[in-house]
Amino acid sequence: MARYAMQRFILALAVAVAVSIISFAILRVSTDLAQALAGEAANQEEVEQIRIAYGLDRPLYVQYFAWLGDIARGDFGESYYFREPVAGLILDRLPLTFTLAGMSLLLALIIALPLGVLAALHHNSWIDRLCLGIAVVGQAMPSFWFALMLIFVFAVTLQVVPLSGGDTWQGLILPAVVLAYYATPAIMRLTRAGMIEVLASDYIRTARAKGLSSASILVKHALRNAVMPVVALAAVKFGFLLGGSTIVETVFALDGIGYLSWESIQRADFPVVQSIVLLFSLIFVFLTFASDILNAWVDPRVRV
Amino acid sequence: MAALLDIRNLHVRIPVGFGHVHAVRGVNLSVEAGQTLCVVGESGSGKSMSALSVMNLLPPRAMRDADRILFDGVDIAQLGPRQMAELRGNRIGMVFQEPMTSLNPAYTVGNQLMEVHRRHRGSSRSAAWARAAELLELVGISNPEMRLRQYPHQLSGGLRQRVMIAMALMCEPGLLIADEPTSALDVTIQVQILRLLRDLQRRLGIAVVLITHDLGVVARVADTVAIMYAGQVVETGSARAVFASPRHPYTNGLLRSMPKPGNGRGEPLQAIPGTVPSLLETIPGCAFAERCARADEACRVGPIATTIEERHSFSCNHPADIRAREEV
Ligand SMILES: Nc1ncnc2c1ncn2[C@@H]1O[C@H](COP(=O)(O)OP(=O)(O)OP(=O)(O)O)[C@@H](O)[C@H]1O
Ligand code: SF4
Ligand SMILES: [Mg+2]
């Protein structure tokens, strides 16, 4: 296990380094930073002065290590728009985005696991097709449209939840539903596929030959093995839900990371955009690592 | 003596595409308490489907139909799923061909052994653990306490099959069904497992249905034999009678292709020339006609005469003479 964890960790580290290089490069290659800092109106001389003042004339690798060093110290640079440290901007909004992603993942699992099992148990029947149908519609419907429908029905017409804002947990219900709706199909399909495969396996036949109860066969022998890949998927989905919050936060006027990144892209606030890209990428790398470890922990074949 | 297991006119049909595989076509089998029945036949002859019918563990859409399947005086073909579950693992144990995949990879050997006992006997954890250790010892596994704590992937194929046998015997069943329990194992391990099965059968006095390809095994362990071909039992009887004077041409063919004792035993049966008829269609007359040297027009059209003697019966219009192994 320790050996396996070490291997995974080294891999994660390598990916993290690659991610940092790419997110560094994206910004440097996509625009002339000195020009962006100086503004459209600045003349050539002013731009050159800024280039030297910000160290942008140094070789790229020097700039990269300087940037990396800053980040290691928690200095993510300063927002062009807010004129404030990026770290603070992000830190203020992180809890909201995490809560939202956590709520939607939980909701998605609560819906997807039973439906996936149900579809597998009745596979190729109308129940199965109905579940798959819901999944297909779920994946095809644009999220902003779904969000607006929910707002219209539950916030405007029925008025059972607040229209917008993340000050209360009720305000997070609709956005969590929207996000969960997108995470559900994949989890459901994987659960279904896993269950179908496991239910046809020799050890399930053994469990039946032992005369075990249906509940024991289903939960102890089948589900346990079928959800192993779902664990990994759930961790990765959490990353997607964090990243996917951009549209949802914008539609529901939630001041989280997603909304911040949306605004920052519009304002060409590159330090913020770059930091968010880097941060979410690193979170993603970490989640993948965590899901590998989690997977190993539930599967004795990997654990040893 | 009334048989412990008595199957009459068993049919199994499995839907495939637009038709059915008629995998088992009117099989009769019976085993007496404490005796060993060997079921022999080429691949696809319906041995597994017959065995699984007894356990009611056929593939999901397979249809089973029988006049009766008497187990210890009760027609288990009439039992509901719950009553059937009471029987399985408790009074009838089963061992499968695939030791590598028949144990759940997520649980320890001990866990999987104990749960049968706890389910059927309602025993405490410690009692079930003690019973599991006892059974591992019985099937010849040394250091049972250590093995109970291991996961299946830490065990070799031979050990896993021993665990499967132990599992099937946890609740002292009257009948053990072993479906080619050694086919997936190395030859030396095969011999050990078969010896183990025979010893257990004698020590515990249980009835065993042993499905096998290996006539050498049959000769050594069987009390009675059933020869299957294309979903039917073509010849059955006491092992002594069938080996001494096989009457059905197919049985004769099998025995001829059997390796002589001493040189390379345990090899798969050598194919008799020709192919098995498709089980998708109804077979008029004798299923073996296409491969039979004695076949005539009446054989192809049917009906086929069934001869029932005291300890021997067979279905053939032109059976071989008694005590003369035919040399065609
Ligand atoms: N799940 C299934 N779906 C369709 N047909 C099947 C299925 N399982 C078995 N069959 C068919 O049923 C027939 C009998 O199969 P069975 O497994 O009983 O044979 P067998 O005598 O046990 O052979 P083997 O020695 O290979 O184990 C075969 O023709 C096989 O193709
Ligand atoms: S019935 Fe006819 S074809 Fe069939 S085995 Fe006997 S002799 Fe051969
Ligand atoms: Mg078989």
Side-chain angles (χ1 to χ4, degrees), chain A residues 23-40 42 46-58 60 63-64 67 76-78 80 83 268-274:
Chain A
S23 67
F24 172 81
I26 283 173
L27 195 55
R28 304 298 148 132
V29 172
S30 60
T31 59
D32 181 357
L33 272 185
Q35 180 76 56
L37 284 168
E40 291 293 319
E46 287 165 330
V47 171
E48 288 314 312
Q49 273 175 359
I50 282 181
R51 195 184 302 285
I52 290 164
Y54 280 80
L56 296 173
D57 56 334
R58 294 175 297 173
L60 270 180
Q63 291 185 42
Y64 170 72
W67 175 77
F76 284 78
E78 193 175 89
Y80 298 163
R83 296 288 161 199
D269 196 346
F270 291 116
V272 176
V273 175
Q274 181 191 34

Coordinates of all heavy atoms in Angstrom, one line a residue, chain A residues 23-40 42 46-58 60 63-64 67 76-78 80 83 268-274:
Chain A
S23 N -0.1 26.4 -17.0 CA -0.8 27.5 -16.7 C 0.0 28.8 -16.7 O -0.4 29.9 -17.0 CB -1.6 27.3 -15.4 OG -0.6 27.3 -14.3
F24 N 1.3 28.6 -16.4 CA 2.3 29.7 -16.5 C 2.4 30.1 -18.0 O 2.3 31.3 -18.3 CB 3.6 29.3 -15.9 CG 4.7 30.3 -16.2 CD1 4.9 31.4 -15.3 CD2 5.6 30.1 -17.2 CE1 5.9 32.3 -15.5 CE2 6.7 31.0 -17.4 CZ 6.8 32.1 -16.6
A25 N 2.6 29.1 -18.8 CA 2.8 29.4 -20.2 C 1.6 30.0 -20.9 O 1.8 30.9 -21.7 CB 3.2 28.1 -20.9
I26 N 0.4 29.5 -20.5 CA -0.8 30.0 -21.2 C -0.8 31.6 -21.1 O -1.0 32.3 -22.1 CB -2.1 29.5 -20.5 CG1 -2.3 28.0 -21.0 CG2 -3.3 30.3 -20.8 CD1 -3.4 27.3 -20.2
L27 N -0.6 32.1 -19.9 CA -0.7 33.5 -19.7 C 0.4 34.2 -20.5 O 0.2 35.2 -21.2 CB -0.5 33.8 -18.3 CG -1.0 35.2 -17.9 CD1 -2.4 35.5 -18.3 CD2 -0.9 35.3 -16.3
R28 N 1.7 33.7 -20.5 CA 2.8 34.4 -21.1 C 2.7 34.3 -22.7 O 3.1 35.2 -23.3 CB 4.1 33.7 -20.7 CG 4.4 33.7 -19.3 CD 4.4 35.1 -18.7 NE 3.9 35.0 -17.3 CZ 4.5 35.6 -16.3 NH1 5.6 36.2 -16.4 NH2 4.0 35.5 -15.1
V29 N 2.1 33.2 -23.2 CA 2.0 33.1 -24.6 C 0.8 33.8 -25.2 O 0.9 34.4 -26.3 CB 2.0 31.6 -25.0 CG1 1.7 31.4 -26.5 CG2 3.3 30.9 -24.6
S30 N -0.3 33.8 -24.4 CA -1.5 34.3 -25.0 C -1.5 35.9 -25.1 O -2.1 36.4 -26.0 CB -2.7 33.9 -24.1 OG -2.5 34.4 -22.8
T31 N -0.8 36.5 -24.2 CA -0.8 38.0 -24.3 C 0.6 38.5 -24.0 O 1.4 37.8 -23.4 CB -1.7 38.6 -23.3 OG1 -1.3 38.2 -22.0 CG2 -3.2 38.3 -23.5
D32 N 0.8 39.7 -24.4 CA 2.0 40.4 -23.9 C 1.6 41.1 -22.6 O 0.9 42.1 -22.6 CB 2.5 41.5 -24.9 CG 3.7 42.2 -24.5 OD1 4.2 41.9 -23.3 OD2 4.2 43.0 -25.2
L33 N 2.2 40.5 -21.5 CA 1.8 41.0 -20.2 C 2.1 42.5 -19.9 O 1.3 43.2 -19.3 CB 2.4 40.1 -19.1 CG 1.7 38.9 -18.7 CD1 2.4 38.2 -17.5 CD2 0.3 39.2 -18.3
A34 N 3.2 42.9 -20.4 CA 3.6 44.3 -20.2 C 2.6 45.2 -20.9 O 2.2 46.2 -20.3 CB 5.1 44.5 -20.8
Q35 N 2.2 44.8 -22.1 CA 1.2 45.6 -22.8 C -0.1 45.6 -22.0 O -0.7 46.7 -21.9 CB 1.0 45.0 -24.2 CG 0.0 45.7 -25.0 CD 0.6 47.0 -25.6 OE1 1.6 47.0 -26.3 NE2 -0.1 48.1 -25.3
A36 N -0.5 44.5 -21.5 CA -1.7 44.4 -20.8 C -1.7 45.2 -19.5 O -2.7 45.9 -19.2 CB -2.0 42.9 -20.4
L37 N -0.5 45.2 -18.8 CA -0.4 46.0 -17.6 C -0.4 47.5 -17.9 O -1.0 48.3 -17.2 CB 0.9 45.6 -16.9 CG 0.9 44.3 -16.2 CD1 2.3 43.9 -15.8 CD2 0.0 44.4 -14.9
A38 N 0.2 47.8 -19.0 CA 0.4 49.3 -19.3 C -0.9 49.8 -19.8 O -1.2 51.0 -19.7 CB 1.5 49.5 -20.3
G39 N -1.7 49.0 -20.4 CA -3.0 49.4 -21.0 C -2.9 49.7 -22.4 O -1.8 49.9 -23.0
E40 N -4.1 49.8 -23.1 CA -4.1 50.0 -24.6 C -3.5 51.3 -25.0 O -2.8 51.3 -26.0 CB -5.6 50.0 -25.0 CG -6.3 48.6 -24.9 CD -5.7 47.6 -25.8 OE1 -5.4 48.0 -27.0 OE2 -5.5 46.5 -25.4
A42 N -1.0 53.0 -23.8 CA 0.4 53.3 -23.5 C 1.3 53.2 -24.8 O 1.0 52.4 -25.7 CB 0.9 52.2 -22.5
E46 N 6.7 53.3 -22.5 CA 6.0 53.0 -21.2 C 5.9 51.5 -21.1 O 6.2 50.9 -20.0 CB 4.6 53.6 -21.2 CG 4.7 55.1 -21.0 CD 3.3 55.8 -21.3 OE1 2.5 55.3 -22.1 OE2 3.1 56.8 -20.6
V47 N 5.6 50.8 -22.1 CA 5.4 49.3 -22.1 C 6.8 48.7 -21.7 O 6.9 47.8 -20.8 CB 5.0 48.8 -23.4 CG1 5.1 47.3 -23.5 CG2 3.5 49.2 -23.7
E48 N 7.9 49.2 -22.3 CA 9.2 48.7 -22.0 C 9.6 48.9 -20.6 O 10.2 48.1 -19.9 CB 10.3 49.3 -22.9 CG 10.2 48.7 -24.4 CD 10.0 47.2 -24.5 OE1 10.8 46.5 -23.8 OE2 9.1 46.8 -25.2
Q49 N 9.2 50.1 -20.0 CA 9.5 50.4 -18.6 C 8.8 49.4 -17.7 O 9.4 48.9 -16.8 CB 9.0 51.8 -18.3 CG 10.1 52.9 -18.6 CD 9.5 54.3 -18.4 OE1 8.4 54.5 -18.0 NE2 10.4 55.3 -18.7
I50 N 7.5 49.2 -18.0 CA 6.8 48.2 -17.2 C 7.4 46.8 -17.3 O 7.5 46.1 -16.3 CB 5.3 48.2 -17.6 CG1 4.6 49.5 -17.0 CG2 4.6 47.0 -17.2 CD1 3.2 49.7 -17.2
R51 N 7.8 46.5 -18.5 CA 8.4 45.1 -18.7 C 9.6 44.9 -17.8 O 9.7 43.9 -17.2 CB 8.8 45.0 -20.2 CG 9.1 43.6 -20.6 CD 9.6 43.5 -22.0 NE 8.7 44.0 -23.0 CZ 7.6 43.4 -23.5 NH1 7.3 42.2 -23.0 NH2 6.9 44.0 -24.4
I52 N 10.4 46.0 -17.7 CA 11.6 45.9 -16.8 C 11.2 45.9 -15.4 O 11.6 45.1 -14.6 CB 12.6 47.0 -17.2 CG1 13.2 46.7 -18.5 CG2 13.7 47.1 -16.1 CD1 13.9 47.9 -19.2
A53 N 10.3 46.8 -15.0 CA 9.8 46.9 -13.6 C 9.2 45.6 -13.1 O 9.5 45.2 -12.0 CB 8.8 48.0 -13.5
Y54 N 8.5 44.9 -13.9 CA 7.9 43.6 -13.5 C 8.7 42.4 -13.7 O 8.3 41.3 -13.5 CB 6.5 43.5 -14.2 CG 5.4 44.3 -13.5 CD1 5.3 45.6 -13.8 CD2 4.5 43.7 -12.6 CE1 4.3 46.4 -13.2 CE2 3.5 44.4 -12.0 CZ 3.4 45.8 -12.3 OH 2.4 46.5 -11.7
G55 N 9.9 42.6 -14.3 CA 10.9 41.5 -14.5 C 10.5 40.7 -15.7 O 10.8 39.5 -15.8
L56 N 9.7 41.2 -16.6 CA 9.2 40.4 -17.7 C 10.2 40.3 -18.8 O 9.9 39.7 -19.8 CB 7.9 41.1 -18.2 CG 6.7 41.0 -17.3 CD1 5.5 41.8 -17.8 CD2 6.3 39.6 -16.9
D57 N 11.3 41.0 -18.7 CA 12.4 40.9 -19.7 C 13.3 39.7 -19.4 O 14.2 39.4 -20.2 CB 13.2 42.2 -19.7 CG 13.8 42.5 -18.3 OD1 13.2 42.1 -17.3 OD2 14.8 43.2 -18.3
R58 N 13.2 39.1 -18.2 CA 14.1 38.0 -17.9 C 13.7 36.8 -18.7 O 12.6 36.7 -19.2 CB 14.0 37.7 -16.4 CG 14.4 38.8 -15.5 CD 14.2 38.5 -14.0 NE 12.8 38.4 -13.8 CZ 12.3 38.0 -12.6 NH1 13.1 37.6 -11.6 NH2 11.0 37.9 -12.4
L60 N 12.4 33.2 -19.7 CA 11.1 32.6 -19.3 C 11.3 31.7 -18.1 O 10.5 31.7 -17.1 CB 10.4 31.8 -20.4 CG 9.5 32.6 -21.3 CD1 8.9 31.8 -22.4 CD2 8.4 33.3 -20.4
Q63 N 11.6 33.6 -14.9 CA 10.3 34.1 -14.5 C 9.4 33.0 -13.9 O 8.7 33.2 -12.9 CB 9.6 34.7 -15.8 CG 10.2 35.9 -16.3 CD 9.3 36.5 -17.4 OE1 8.1 36.5 -17.3 NE2 10.0 36.9 -18.5
Y64 N 9.5 31.8 -14.5 CA 8.7 30.6 -14.0 C 9.1 30.3 -12.6 O 8.2 30.2 -11.7 CB 8.9 29.4 -14.9 CG 8.3 28.1 -14.4 CD1 6.9 28.0 -14.3 CD2 9.1 27.1 -13.8 CE1 6.4 26.8 -13.8 CE2 8.6 26.0 -13.3 CZ 7.2 25.8 -13.3 OH 6.7 24.7 -12.8
W67 N 7.9 32.9 -10.2 CA 6.5 32.8 -10.1 C 6.1 31.7 -9.1 O 5.3 31.8 -8.2 CB 5.9 32.6 -11.5 CG 4.4 32.4 -11.5 CD1 3.4 33.3 -11.4 CD2 3.8 31.1 -11.8 NE1 2.2 32.7 -11.6 CE2 2.4 31.3 -11.8 CE3 4.2 29.8 -12.0 CZ2 1.5 30.3 -12.0 CZ3 3.3 28.8 -12.2 CH2 1.9 29.0 -12.2
F76 N -0.1 35.0 -4.9 CA -0.6 34.6 -6.2 C -0.7 35.9 -7.1 O -1.3 35.9 -8.2 CB -2.0 34.0 -6.1 CG -2.0 32.6 -5.7 CD1 -1.8 32.3 -4.3 CD2 -2.2 31.6 -6.6 CE1 -1.8 31.0 -3.9 CE2 -2.2 30.2 -6.2 CZ -2.0 29.9 -4.8
G77 N 0.0 36.9 -6.7 CA 0.0 38.2 -7.5 C -1.2 39.0 -7.1 O -2.0 38.7 -6.2
E78 N -1.4 40.1 -7.9 CA -2.4 41.1 -7.6 C -3.4 41.2 -8.7 O -3.0 41.2 -9.9 CB -1.7 42.4 -7.3 CG -2.6 43.4 -6.6 CD -1.9 44.7 -6.3 OE1 -1.8 45.6 -7.2 OE2 -1.3 44.8 -5.2
Y80 N -5.6 42.8 -11.4 CA -5.5 44.1 -12.2 C -6.8 45.0 -11.8 O -6.7 46.2 -11.8 CB -5.6 43.9 -13.7 CG -4.4 43.1 -14.2 CD1 -4.4 42.5 -15.5 CD2 -3.2 43.0 -13.5 CE1 -3.4 41.8 -16.0 CE2 -2.1 42.3 -14.0 CZ -2.2 41.7 -15.3 OH -1.1 41.0 -15.8
R83 N -7.1 45.4 -7.6 CA -5.9 45.9 -7.0 C -5.7 45.3 -5.6 O -5.4 46.0 -4.6 CB -5.9 47.5 -6.9 CG -5.9 48.1 -8.2 CD -4.6 48.0 -9.0 NE -4.7 48.3 -10.4 CZ -3.8 47.9 -11.3 NH1 -2.7 47.3 -11.0 NH2 -4.1 48.2 -12.6
A268 N -10.4 40.6 -18.4 CA -9.0 40.3 -18.8 C -8.1 40.4 -17.5 O -7.0 40.9 -17.6 CB -8.5 41.2 -19.9
D269 N -8.7 40.0 -16.4 CA -7.9 40.1 -15.1 C -7.0 38.8 -15.0 O -7.4 37.8 -14.3 CB -8.9 40.2 -14.0 CG -8.2 40.6 -12.7 OD1 -6.9 40.6 -12.7 OD2 -8.9 41.0 -11.8
F270 N -5.9 38.8 -15.8 CA -5.2 37.5 -16.0 C -4.6 36.9 -14.7 O -4.7 35.7 -14.5 CB -4.1 37.7 -17.0 CG -4.6 37.9 -18.4 CD1 -4.4 39.1 -19.0 CD2 -5.3 37.0 -19.0 CE1 -4.9 39.3 -20.3 CE2 -5.8 37.2 -20.3 CZ -5.6 38.4 -20.9
P271 N -4.1 37.6 -13.8 CA -3.6 37.0 -12.6 C -4.7 36.2 -11.8 O -4.4 35.1 -11.3 CB -3.1 38.2 -11.7 CG -2.9 39.2 -12.6 CD -3.8 39.1 -13.7
V272 N -5.9 36.7 -11.8 CA -7.0 35.9 -11.2 C -7.3 34.7 -12.0 O -7.4 33.6 -11.4 CB -8.2 36.8 -11.0 CG1 -9.4 36.0 -10.4 CG2 -7.9 38.0 -10.2
V273 N -7.5 34.8 -13.3 CA -7.8 33.7 -14.1 C -6.7 32.6 -14.0 O -7.0 31.4 -13.8 CB -7.9 34.1 -15.6 CG1 -8.2 32.9 -16.5 CG2 -9.1 35.1 -15.8
Q274 N -5.5 33.0 -14.1 CA -4.4 32.1 -14.0 C -4.4 31.3 -12.7 O -4.2 30.1 -12.6 CB -3.1 32.8 -14.2 CG -1.9 31.9 -14.2 CD -0.6 32.7 -14.1 OE1 -0.6 33.8 -13.5 NE2 0.5 32.2 -14.8

